[in-house]
Amino acid sequence: DFGLWLEHGPVPPAADGNDGDANHGVAMKISEKNSRTVDMCVLKNILSLWVALIRRNLVQIRGDDEDDSVKALVAFTRVGLDPHLYSAGDCADTCGEPLHALVQQISLALIRSATSQLDGSHVEQWMKRAAGRVVDACSELSAGAEGAADSDDVDGYLPLAMAVKRMCFCEFDNDFSLDIALMKLNFAEQALHNCLEEITDWKDKVKERADFLCKDWDKKNTSGSPARDRLQHAMHALVTAEVGFQWIEEDSEPFMRNHPHLLAAVSIAGECALVGTCIFWSSQSDSQSEEQVYSAEERDAVHESISNIEDLCDGIKKECRAVIAYPHLRRTKEYLTRLSKRLGGTKGKSSQDKRRKRREQGSLDSYFSRPSMSDPFRDTQDS
């Protein structure tokens, strides 16, 4: 309202009730000649100040302020959908980080600040409430302009998928934050429920599949440590993605008639799977020793879930025909290909013993290295 990030220039006068038409005409003339435009350098500096304040917890979040923090996260998530943030001219003509990167940093800083200031019992409630508000704010938006890539998205599924993907970047590196990963998991999970609203028994399906995968786990070691808690979150994310992909493959006919819906559902389910893999490997990367954090049964469960997701992705890719005529199908197929490659690394590392056994089954070296059971001299030694 104060025009802090606007360049110098005349401000169009506000129209009043007595002489609204005259003032409106004057305003139009001024705006056509030399109206004020956005000063990108000043706007970036203001956003950088907000990032610094929020990172240092100088914006207090207590009691009634929890709702204000949720509103702020919703606002910055909606702003992140604005295509003007990704304009090459606005970002390249000024120094520093791109505008969309600063908006994303504010969202990340806000999540970390809120989770660090709130009590442990309120953090999960805040995340679920914030995720629900963001899903409501990014759902059922209008389709793109005529000729745009999303002009046929009449139900507004693609903006929701874009918001999930752009909310925060999650990798198991030195800057990994479990709070950010869980926030994105809550957002992606609720967005997937919104996108696949035909599934009414999500909890039952996820619980049934998770119980089947984890039936061989040692119940004494499934809780009580940070690594086991992360494993539970990782399995929940992977199984949620698995249930979503299975529904898309089994009920593929309606999705093939609504290509934007297919692309959005696949993208959101894929984000759930990627968050799960990041959480799974975060404990291993935090460990200073080379000893495996998880047991063989736990790694086998992750291996089986990812293998099923890969098979489901292949099944959906086979249904994406005529990709040249339908760009959304091409984007869906390309995304599934990239997703399978990213999940393949986690799948291979999660169960190295199982891969080693499979590799040895048809190996001549392993055959000759093992003594034959029919050899009568196998236990003797040469003198």
Side-chain angles (χ1 to χ4, degrees), residues 173-193:
D173 54 12
N174 296 328
D175 197 31
F176 177 83
S177 172
L178 182 60
D179 293 330
I180 293 178
L182 293 180
M183 181 64 220
K184 182 160 187 176
L185 175 58
N186 280 277
F187 182 28
E189 182 180 4
Q190 294 193 34
L192 190 60
H193 293 178

Side-chain angles (χ1 to χ4, degrees), residues 31-103:
S31 61
E32 290 176 358
K33 291 182 179 179
N34 53 355
S35 61
R36 304 175 73 176
T37 57
V38 175
D39 191 333
M40 294 300 299
C41 293
V42 178
L43 179 57
K44 286 185 176 182
N45 291 336
I46 292 177
L47 294 179
S48 300
L49 290 175
W50 287 357
V51 172
L53 291 174
I54 297 174
R55 282 179 175 175
R56 290 165 175 78
N57 291 339
L58 297 179
V59 179
Q60 297 296 320
I61 301 175
R62 300 291 182 186
D64 297 336
D65 294 337
E66 295 181 17
D67 191 62
D68 293 337
S69 62
V70 171
K71 292 180 180 178
L73 183 61
V74 171
F76 286 118
T77 305
R78 279 292 301 269
V79 169
L81 297 176
D82 191 342
H84 292 88
L85 291 178
Y86 302 86
S87 174
D90 294 338
C91 294
D93 293 343
T94 55
C95 61
E97 297 184 77
L99 192 59
H100 62 86
L102 289 173
V103 173

Side-chain angles (χ1 to χ4, degrees), residues 6 12 33 77 88 135 146 150 154 156 158 194 267 292 310-311 337 339 341-342 344-345 359:
L6 298 180
K33 291 182 179 179
T77 305
V135 170
E146 184 178 357
D150 59 340
V154 294
L158 290 179
N194 181 277
S267 300
Q292 292 289 343
E310 286 183 331
D311 294 339
T337 302
L339 178 65
K341 291 182 178 180
R342 295 190 62 179
R359 190 167 55 245

Side-chain angles (χ1 to χ4, degrees), residues 161-364:
M162 187 182 300
V164 173
K165 188 174 182 59
R166 291 179 177 176
M167 185 176 193
C168 49
F169 187 70
C170 181
E171 285 290 352
F172 49 93
D173 54 12
N174 296 328
D175 197 31
F176 177 83
S177 172
L178 182 60
D179 293 330
I180 293 178
L182 293 180
M183 181 64 220
K184 182 160 187 176
L185 175 58
N186 280 277
F187 182 28
E189 182 180 4
Q190 294 193 34
L192 190 60
H193 293 178
N194 181 277
C195 196
L196 301 178
E197 56 185 2
E198 297 86 359
I199 305 179
T200 57
D201 54 346
W202 272 99
K203 292 184 179 180
D204 296 337
K205 290 181 179 295
V206 171
K207 185 178 183 303
E208 180 181 0
R209 178 59 178 169
D211 292 342
F212 175 79
L213 292 173
C214 307
K215 63 181 183 298
D216 296 331
W217 288 11
D218 186 0
K219 302 302 180 182
K220 297 180 181 180
N221 297 328
T222 54
S223 62
S225 65
R228 293 305 179 276
D229 293 340
R230 292 190 180 191
L231 180 61
Q232 296 287 347
H233 292 306
M235 286 302 302
H236 180 77
L238 291 173
V239 172
T240 300
E242 193 176 345
V243 171
F245 280 123
Q246 185 173 3
W247 180 271
I248 296 173
E249 188 202 28
E250 293 178 352
D251 196 30
S252 60
E253 185 177 352
F255 288 98
M256 293 305 161
R257 295 196 300 264
N258 191 346
H259 298 164
H261 189 193
L262 172 65
L263 177 58
V266 165
S267 300
I268 298 174
E271 291 299 313
C272 282
L274 292 176
V275 173
T277 58
C278 291
I279 297 176
F280 175 73
W281 282 113
S282 62
S283 296
Q284 187 64 40
S285 62
D286 292 342
S287 178
Q288 300 297 329
S289 62
E290 296 182 357
E291 183 181 357
Q292 292 289 343
V293 177
Y294 305 113
S295 64
E297 292 78 8
E298 293 167 344
R299 287 183 280 118
D300 287 346
V302 175
H303 182 278
E304 184 175 351
S305 179
I306 295 180
S307 298
N308 193 32
I309 291 177
E310 286 183 331
D311 294 339
L312 294 172
C313 290
D314 292 339
I316 298 174
K317 285 166 59 177
K318 292 179 181 178
E319 297 294 331
C320 296
R321 307 181 182 92
V323 294
I324 298 179
Y326 300 103
H328 287 315
L329 292 183
R330 174 179 54 82
R331 298 184 182 100
T332 302
K333 199 167 186 176
E334 291 175 351
Y335 178 82
L336 291 173
T337 302
R338 294 193 302 268
L339 178 65
S340 298
K341 291 182 178 180
R342 295 190 62 179
L343 295 178
T346 302
K347 173 187 172 183
K349 295 178 182 178
S350 62
S351 188
Q352 295 179 356
D353 296 337
K354 185 177 294 186
R355 289 192 304 119
R356 189 179 298 111
K357 290 179 181 179
R358 291 179 178 177
R359 190 167 55 245
E360 289 180 354
Q361 287 178 357
S363 173
L364 291 176

